[in-house]
Structure formats: structure tokens, C-alpha cells
Amino acid sequence: MLLRKIVLKDFGAYRGTQTLDLHTHPGKPIVLIGGLNGCGKTTLLDALQLVLYGPRARCSARGNRPYETYLRECINRKADPEEGSSLTLDFSITVEGEKRVYSVTRSWSVSGKSLRERVTVFIDGRWDQVVSAGWADHVEDLLPLEIGSLFFFDGEKIESLADPERASAVIRSAVDSLLGVNTVEQLRTDLQVLQRRKRLSEEDQAVIGQIRQLEARYQQADSEVQAAHGHAGELRVQLDKRLDELKQAEEAFAHEGGELFTQREALRQRRKDAAKHLASTQESLIGLAAGALPLQLLSEQLGAVRKQAAIEQQATESTQVLQTLVGRDQDILDRFGPLLSASDFEALRDYLETDRRQRELTGETERILGLSLDGYAQLAGLEQILANEQQRARELLDLASQQAAEVDALDRQLQGVPTEERIAARQAEQAEALQAVHHAEAVLANAIEAYEASKRRRAAAKAELDAAYERQAAKKFEAEENERINAHCERQRNLLERFKEALLKRHISRLEVAVLESFTRLMRKSGLVRDLRIDTDRGYQLTLTDESGDTVDPGRLSAGERQLLAVSLVWGLARVAGNWLPSVIDTPLGRLDSRHREHLVDRYFPHAGDQVLLLSTDEEIDERLFQRLRPSVAHTYTLVHDDTTFTTTVEPGYWWNSGAEHVA
């Protein structure tokens, strides 16, 4: 499990919305959160537990107050109670082999004298209504409270672990819950409860005969159901065989050209339609040939005709305009002659006469065609008509080619259609296979109906048996059966007891090695403790042995050494459990000298797990220790408290790297 983000909205001293990114990376497992005393470090630790466990959370600030009172007091004093407070925690966890991302929001608000609390859960970005409604039970499956509380440590809990006598209870709780021993004990308790429920009085023996008869009837009905189910299964296999045979017959029918045979009438109709369309296209081509289109063969002659027509049309126009020009020329000479000199007058008269003679010559051109005005117009439009007719002819020829190709293709398909005599045997095989399939389906349907009927009889027998059990509920159950159950439960309880002892011994051995190894790494006196034992027969008492084999009196340990021993217990438990939970430690260095602090900073915090949240004052992890810890830090934050408004805000960075939330 890895925490990803926590958002506090108007919670305790935290005013407004305060967000802490808790993502860590390989080699950088630490999120360092600094704050002076009274700035809200413990409040942040309480928020982590409250958002998960609600009324069962072991919050340090709650004390013996009712849960509703505690929630009211957690609303920031400057916030509107009707708006209330909320906590949101995002975390990832592996569930049934798949990584899932949870976002849990616990919010509450006050309306009059009542307080309303809501829990909303998103899984992989989708709201889950069922999990939201049953979060209190669901979180126990993900992270039981007894296990989770072991990894949320404040200074007070570390102090309690530092006392060997008080540590015994914590060790017992950790071993039982974190390492699964309590599960075995719960099984033994459940078996004992079952034994008590199964004890009968002598008067209950009279009903055993009746119940045994009903049980026998039910068993017989159940046997019939199983037999009918097996018979139906065999018939399904036979039906599958018939279907395979039908498929083979259909494939053989198709291989012989059966599909073409069944489609022969459709092919014939398609061939008839295609031939009809081809004939229609050919008729259209014949119609074009009967019109102006053949004139396209005389394109050169038509060109000569159009040229001659143009000459004749020009001659006609010249003849028509000649008489008009005679009057016009005389009028010009009369009007402008007096204004010209003799030479200019002669030149103008010669020009006009020459123009008239040329027009006379043009008008004398031989009229070979002798067309009328309409004839000239028709001759001019003939070229466009022939172009249109030629384009239409090309289109019809292309269409006729396609239609002829379609007719040829259909002819080839029709030639490939097998004869009725050739396909008859395959048709018979196909029909026989189809009939066999229908028969197998009918037989299977009858078998299924028989199976359903046997199930109904079994259900009736079961209902009668259940009714007999219910009628005798006040004075039953079967003595012989209960005696067997009691004997079996007793054997299993003894087996579980031995299993518990073996499991406990194995876990304790691993835990002793892990705690001793952790303590040795953290201590500056390497020879102070040589061996460490946890005595389960004496209430999980912790015993230390020095180099001489003598027991080390805890009183000989300094306060700092006892605190390191407590940290070693936490570290050892995490290592034995597989480091699958984050460690959240508040004021971790309170009673340690500088050398022990260095050991903790160098040897424990960077290796305590995949994620370690440290809540520290500036005197615990000072500038020197921060520089030593910095390579393993993923994020840093400082809790800044405003004494005038009594509110706390989260600022990125630590005291000696202000403004840098992410530490490179």
C-alpha cells in the first residue's frame, strides 16, 4: 500500500484546502513534513487515521469524547459549520493481484443540532456506491485497524514501545494481527462456538428417523437429477456429431456445385435480364445509326460543304449590300467633294469604285449549294449534333460491352451447373443428415425436459426436507451428526492449536532476527547486545543478551537506546510483514542524542519501507541531518502556523530548502 495524496479542508487548525503530494519513488521513500510544536503534525497523523477508520480511528486528540462531538470540534473555528470539513486520501493497493487506486473522502457538516457524515469512495477513478456505503467493512479487508495502527506512530507510542514491559502488549498485538496468528485463533474460537451449537438433548433423537427418510428421498431425487444431466450431456455430444455430419454433407453438396444448382433458376433469370438489357442497348445503337451519325464518315466532305456555304453566304450578302453602297458612295462624293482638292477627290472616287467592283465580283460567285437562310443555320448546327451523337454512341458501345461480358459470365456459370441426376445423391445425403439433426434435437429437448422435471422433484424433496428441519428447529439437530461434527471440531481445534504454535514459533524466530539486526544497525555500541529473544510463554517478554551471555537489564539502556529498541521493533515487524505498508512517524528523534539521530537518519529512515512519512520539528531533523537525509527525500513540506488567526497552512519545502516541494 502506498499513499498518493491527502487533502485537508477546514480540518482542525488547517484552514481552507491544504494538499500534500505523498508520491514516493524508488530510492526516495521519504516525505519529510516539518512543523514546530503545536503547528498540526499530530493533527495530520490523526487525519490519516480518521479518513480511513472514522469512529474507530485511534486519534490522539479525541480522548474519551463521543465521536460526533469530536467531529464537531475538528471543524476549523473560522469555517462555516454548515459547510463543514472533509478529508480526502488517495492511495494505491494491490487487491487480488491487481493494483487499484482508491480515493476516499470523509466529510461532515453541522445543520442545526444534527451532524451529517458522508463517505465517498472512488476506485480507479469511478465512484463505487456499494463500497462507499460499506466502507467500514471494506477497509477491514484492505487494511485492518489493528494492522494499520501499528504503522501510525507518534512520539507517545514510541515511548510506550521503549518500555520493555509495555512493549510486550504491542508485540503480541502486532504478531497476532500483522502476521496472521489471530486468524488461526479466531478459527479455533469459531469451531468451539460450532461445537456448542451442535449439542442435543435426548428428546431430539426421536425426529432423526423422519429426517433421515426425507434425506434419503432427497438424495434419490438428486441422483436422478445427476443421471438426467449426464444423459442430456451425452445427447448433446450426439447432436454435435449430427451437426458435423450435416456440415460435411453441405460441404460435399457445395463441392459438387450444389449452390449453383439451387441458384440455377435465379441464374437463368439474371441471364435473361442481361440479354434483354443488351438487346435494348443494341437497338439504341441501331437508332443512332439510322440518324445523322453516319454523316460522321463524311467529315472531310462536310467541311468542304461548310466552307462553300460560307462563300455563297458572303456573296449573297455582298449582292444585297451593293445597291445600298452605290447611293451611299454618291452621297459621300456630293457632301465632301467640294471640301477636297481635285487629287484627293479623284483618290476617294477611285477607292469607292474599286470597293464596289470587288463586291460585284464576290456577288458573281457561282451558287453551287443555293441554300436558304434556314439551310445555312442547319448546316452550322450539324457539327454539334454529330459530336453529341458520337459521344452517345461511345457510351452505348461501352454499356453493350459490359452487358455482353455479363451475359458471357452468366453463360459460363450456367454451363457449370451440374445436372439434376449428378446432384441428386448429394441432395439425398444432405436431407438425411438434416433429418438426423432434427431427430437428435428432438431427443435432446425431451432429455432436457426430463432433466428439468427431475430438478423440480428434487426441489420439492428439498423443500419438504427443509420444512421438516424448520418444524424441528426448536429441538434438533441429529445427535449422530452432531457428535461427528463435535469430534471433528475437536480434532481441528487441536490441529489449529499445533499450527498456531508452529506459525508463532516461525514468525517469532524471524521477528527476533529482524529486530536484532535492526537494533544492531542503529546502535553505536556494536557489542552492547548480542542476542534478542521474545518469550511467548512469558507474555511476549523481550529479553536482551550481551556478549557474555548475560541478560541485559533494560535499566542499563539509556532513554535514547530504549527508543532505538522501539524503532527496531517497528522496523523488524515491517520487514517480517514484507514492508507492504507505509510508516508514519511523528517526532521520531525526541529523546536521542546526536549520534543516535545520525544512525536513525542514515540507517533506518531511508530503508524503513517503500514509503516513510516523517513529522519533525526543526530541532529533531535540523539542517545538518536534513542534508544527510536529503538524497532519500521525495517531498518536503513545512506546517506554518499563524498565531493571530490560529490556523495552519502547508507550504512546500523544509526550513532549509524553502519553496521546493519535490527534492531532486
Side-chain angles (χ1 to χ4, degrees):
M1 176 181 181
L2 291 176
L3 306 180
R4 300 165 70 93
K5 180 177 68 175
I6 184 168
V7 180
L8 303 91
K9 180 181 178 183
D10 291 325
F11 178 72
Y14 293 90
R15 181 71 176 107
T17 301
Q18 306 294 326
T19 302
L20 288 89
D21 183 359
L22 305 178
H23 284 84
T24 57
H25 317 284
K28 290 181 176 292
I30 297 175
V31 177
L32 179 59
I33 303 170
L36 301 178
N37 292 331
C39 286
K41 297 191 298 299
T42 304
T43 302
L44 181 59
L45 185 64
D46 290 344
L48 287 170
Q49 300 183 73
L50 179 61
V51 68
L52 289 174
Y53 302 109
R56 298 182 300 117
R58 296 169 182 175
C59 300
S60 59
R62 177 179 174 182
N64 295 322
R65 286 170 294 176
Y67 179 61
E68 183 173 324
T69 302
Y70 173 65
L71 288 184
R72 289 175 182 269
E73 295 177 357
C74 284
I75 300 176
N76 185 274
R77 65 179 65 184
K78 294 187 176 298
D80 184 357
E82 292 188 356
E83 293 293 331
S85 300
S86 68
L87 299 171
T88 299
L89 179 65
D90 294 356
F91 62 90
S92 60
I93 191 170
T94 300
V95 180
E96 296 179 353
E98 294 184 3
K99 182 179 178 181
R100 294 185 177 178
V101 177
Y102 282 73
S103 181
V104 183
T105 299
R106 185 180 297 273
S107 59
W108 60 95
S109 58
V110 177
S111 178
K113 294 184 179 181
S114 63
L115 181 140
R116 181 184 178 188
E117 182 186 22
R118 297 170 296 277
V119 177
T120 306
V121 181
F122 285 80
I123 302 177
D124 294 332
R126 294 185 177 182
W127 175 55
D128 195 312
Q129 183 178 7
V130 175
V131 173
S132 298
W135 175 249
D137 295 327
H138 189 77
V139 72
E140 283 298 310
D141 295 333
L142 298 177
L143 180 62
L145 176 63
E146 291 298 327
I147 295 177
S149 63
L150 292 173
F151 288 85
F152 295 97
F153 278 87
D154 55 15
E156 184 177 326
K157 185 173 290 186
I158 293 179
E159 288 293 332
S160 67
L161 277 174
D163 183 350
E165 294 183 0
R166 298 172 65 186
S168 298
V170 177
I171 296 174
R172 176 192 293 272
S173 174
V175 171
D176 287 351
S177 59
L178 189 59
L179 304 181
V181 177
N182 59 349
T183 304
V184 180
E185 184 60 31
Q186 184 62 45
L187 286 174
R188 293 185 71 250
T189 302
D190 292 344
L191 287 173
Q192 188 175 19
V193 172
L194 180 61
Q195 282 181 290
R196 292 172 182 170
R197 291 178 179 175
K198 290 298 182 179
R199 293 194 177 96
L200 296 177
S201 62
E202 293 182 358
E203 63 183 18
D204 296 325
Q205 303 293 332
V207 301
I208 294 178
Q210 179 186 2
I211 293 177
R212 289 288 184 246
Q213 291 178 358
L214 293 175
E215 287 179 338
R217 186 185 305 173
Y218 172 75
Q219 292 297 332
Q220 181 179 358
D222 185 67
S223 299
E224 292 175 356
V225 170
Q226 300 302 326
H229 184 267
H231 181 56
E234 294 175 356
L235 292 177
R236 284 192 179 90
V237 173
Q238 294 181 10
L239 175 59
D240 291 339
K241 291 181 178 179
R242 302 291 86 78
L243 289 172
D244 288 341
E245 293 172 356
L246 175 60
K247 182 179 179 181
Q248 294 174 3
E250 290 174 344
E251 290 175 351
F253 180 75
H255 182 71
E256 291 290 342
E259 292 184 3
L260 289 175
F261 182 79
T262 56
Q263 298 174 7
R264 64 187 185 279
E265 291 301 326
L267 288 173
R268 289 172 180 170
Q269 184 61 42
R270 286 177 56 193
R271 202 275 180 196
K272 181 178 179 181
D273 293 341
K276 181 178 179 181
H277 294 156
L278 177 59
S280 176
T281 303
Q282 290 173 342
E283 289 178 1
S284 298
L285 284 170
I286 293 172
L288 283 176
L293 184 61
L295 292 177
Q296 189 66 31
L297 299 174
L298 303 174
S299 57
E300 294 182 1
Q301 290 81 352
L302 286 175
V305 170
R306 283 194 292 271
K307 184 176 180 181
Q308 179 63 31
I311 294 172
E312 292 183 6
Q313 186 176 11
Q314 185 179 7
T316 301
E317 292 175 352
S318 297
T319 302
Q320 293 174 350
V321 79
L322 185 61
Q323 296 302 323
T324 302
L325 290 177
V326 172
R328 183 206 63 177
D329 293 347
Q330 188 59 48
D331 184 61
I332 290 173
L333 292 174
D334 293 341
R335 180 176 298 183
F336 296 103
L339 302 177
L340 299 175
S341 62
S343 59
D344 291 337
F345 180 80
E346 289 297 328
L348 176 61
R349 186 177 59 186
D350 293 342
Y351 171 77
L352 294 175
E353 289 178 355
T354 301
D355 179 63
R356 288 196 302 274
R357 284 196 298 271
Q358 289 177 349
R359 293 181 181 276
E360 288 175 358
L361 292 175
T362 300
E364 293 174 358
T365 299
E366 182 181 3
R367 269 62 168 185
I368 300 174
L369 299 177
L371 296 176
S372 64
L373 292 177
D374 290 340
Y376 289 126
Q378 291 177 0
L379 183 61
L382 179 60
E383 183 177 3
Q384 183 61 42
I385 293 173
L386 290 177
N388 294 338
E389 292 288 293
Q390 187 175 8
Q391 178 63 29
R392 175 61 178 163
R394 290 194 188 97
E395 294 174 355
L396 289 174
L397 286 172
D398 291 341
L399 180 60
S401 177
Q402 296 174 5
Q403 293 170 341
E406 183 181 3
V407 170
D408 291 341
L410 291 171
D411 285 339
R412 287 193 296 272
Q413 292 185 26
L414 287 170
Q415 290 175 2
V417 174
T419 62
E420 187 170 357
E421 294 78 9
R422 178 181 170 188
I423 207 69
R426 296 302 183 188
Q427 282 184 309
E429 291 176 0
Q430 188 176 7
E432 183 180 353
L434 183 60
Q435 184 178 2
V437 168
H438 290 161
H439 176 71
E441 289 176 340
V443 173
L444 177 59
N446 292 334
I448 292 175
E449 176 58 31
Y451 170 60
E452 294 297 330
S454 66
K455 286 172 62 178
R456 290 192 291 271
R457 289 193 297 272
R458 182 180 65 178
K462 182 66 166 56
E464 190 175 358
L465 179 60
D466 291 341
Y469 281 139
E470 187 175 352
R471 287 193 301 269
Q472 304 299 330
K475 48 184 176 178
K476 61 177 176 178
F477 279 46
E478 308 92 342
E480 294 178 358
E481 184 68 13
N482 286 347
E483 288 178 3
R484 186 188 68 80
I485 292 175
N486 285 330
H488 182 70
C489 287
E490 188 64 29
R491 288 194 300 272
Q492 296 304 317
R493 288 183 69 241
N494 293 334
L495 177 61
L496 286 173
E497 177 64 24
R498 294 194 299 272
F499 176 70
K500 174 187 173 182
E501 293 175 358
L503 180 64
L504 185 60
K505 182 178 180 181
R506 177 174 178 268
H507 284 326
I508 289 296
S509 297
R510 294 174 58 205
L511 183 59
E512 288 171 343
V513 173
V515 173
L516 178 60
E517 184 178 298
S518 301
F519 188 52
T520 302
R521 292 179 63 180
L522 296 178
M523 283 291 293
R524 70 168 182 264
K525 301 176 184 178
S526 59
L528 179 62
V529 175
R530 182 181 61 85
D531 196 12
L532 180 148
R533 288 287 180 265
I534 300 174
D535 192 346
T536 57
D537 295 332
R538 298 172 59 188
Y540 291 79
Q541 182 176 344
L542 188 65
T543 303
L544 306 177
T545 307
D546 61 16
E547 290 287 347
S548 302
D550 298 328
T551 301
V552 178
D553 185 357
R556 289 175 51 190
L557 300 177
S558 66
E561 289 169 343
R562 288 198 298 272
Q563 187 169 350
L564 289 182
L565 179 59
V567 172
S568 300
L569 283 172
V570 177
W571 195 5
L573 285 169
R575 292 169 61 189
V576 172
N579 286 329
W580 66 281
L581 286 175
S583 295
V584 184
I585 307 176
D586 184 12
T587 59
L589 307 177
R591 302 183 64 181
L592 299 178
D593 58 28
S594 61
R595 189 68 176 275
H596 285 148
R597 290 186 178 191
E598 290 177 359
H599 284 200
L600 218 61
V601 166
D602 294 340
R603 303 176 184 181
Y604 172 53
F605 294 149
H607 310 288
D610 294 332
Q611 189 175 51
V612 180
L613 273 63
L614 295 180
L615 301 124
S616 172
T617 65
D618 59 341
E619 293 183 355
E620 286 186 285
I621 299 180
D622 55 19
E623 183 174 6
R624 182 178 59 85
L625 292 179
F626 173 71
Q627 296 303 327
R628 299 172 74 112
L629 193 64
R630 186 168 186 168
S632 301
V633 176
H635 299 279
T636 58
Y637 298 97
T638 301
L639 307 180
V640 180
H641 188 71
D642 188 339
D643 294 332
T644 60
T645 60
F646 301 100
T647 59
T648 296
T649 57
V650 178
E651 302 292 341
Y654 202 59
W655 280 285
W656 298 283
N657 72 325
S658 178
E661 177 186 344
H662 176 72
V663 179

